[in-house]
Amino acid sequence: MKSPANPDVTTAIQHLYKAIHSGGADPRVLELVHLRASQINGCSPCVFAGVASAKKHGETDERLHNVVTWRETPFFTEAERAALALTEAATRIQDGAPGVTDEIWDAAAAHFDDKQLSAIILNIAMTNFFNRINRTIREQAGKTW
């Protein structure tokens, strides 16, 4: 299954990514956020592409292999942990999920300024957007990009 590309959508997405990357958040944090949301959603093409992109930004195999278990490992900073907790809370929106609690929000806000936090939140949203599209059209890891 493939949907036809719409140039207006492509342009809009490019503007959103420009906003994300001009927000001042560390690109490695953005990569971790993207990878964690994609893992939660079971989006194989985004996990595949996310790992490749993170490596280009200097991520190590050790850290990438442990994103899924970030709470139980010593490999992440407090800021990265706050971003990952925010990612999980914003991504897991099934019935009954608590969502982003005050504690999660306050931890993220303690590590990131408003502009960085906005970039991280938009990155979480864009990742979830692409995860859902890829699941809908049954995109497979490594097939297209």
Side-chain angles (χ1 to χ4, degrees), residues 88-101:
E88 289 185 359
T91 298
R92 291 190 165 126
I93 57 174
Q94 71 274 17
D95 293 341
V100 179
T101 63

Side-chain angles (χ1 to χ4, degrees), residues 1-119:
M1 288 183 176
K2 280 289 180 199
S3 60
N6 178 327
D8 292 335
V9 172
T10 302
T11 299
I13 290 168
Q14 288 171 339
H15 286 291
L16 290 169
Y17 276 114
K18 183 178 178 183
I20 290 168
H21 294 289
S22 68
D26 182 338
R28 287 175 41 166
V29 169
L30 295 174
E31 296 293 349
L32 294 174
V33 162
H34 172 79
L35 180 56
R36 186 65 191 119
S38 298
Q39 289 171 334
I40 292 167
N41 290 326
C43 183
S44 69
C46 287
V47 168
F48 180 83
V51 167
S53 183
K55 283 184 171 190
K56 288 179 185 173
H57 283 96
E59 273 301 349
T60 64
D61 286 336
E62 181 177 61
R63 283 170 43 98
L64 291 171
H65 288 299
N66 285 285
V67 169
V68 72
T69 58
W70 62 270
R71 284 182 179 86
E72 291 82 28
T73 64
F75 307 125
F76 302 97
T77 67
E78 288 305 311
E80 290 166 339
R81 291 174 185 283
L84 290 165
L86 180 64
T87 301
E88 289 185 359
T91 298
R92 291 190 165 126
I93 57 174
Q94 71 274 17
D95 293 341
V100 179
T101 63
D102 289 343
E103 180 182 2
I104 290 169
W105 181 262
D106 291 345
H111 292 285
F112 303 101
D113 65 28
D114 288 347
K115 195 171 178 184
Q116 292 168 325
L117 202 48
S118 293

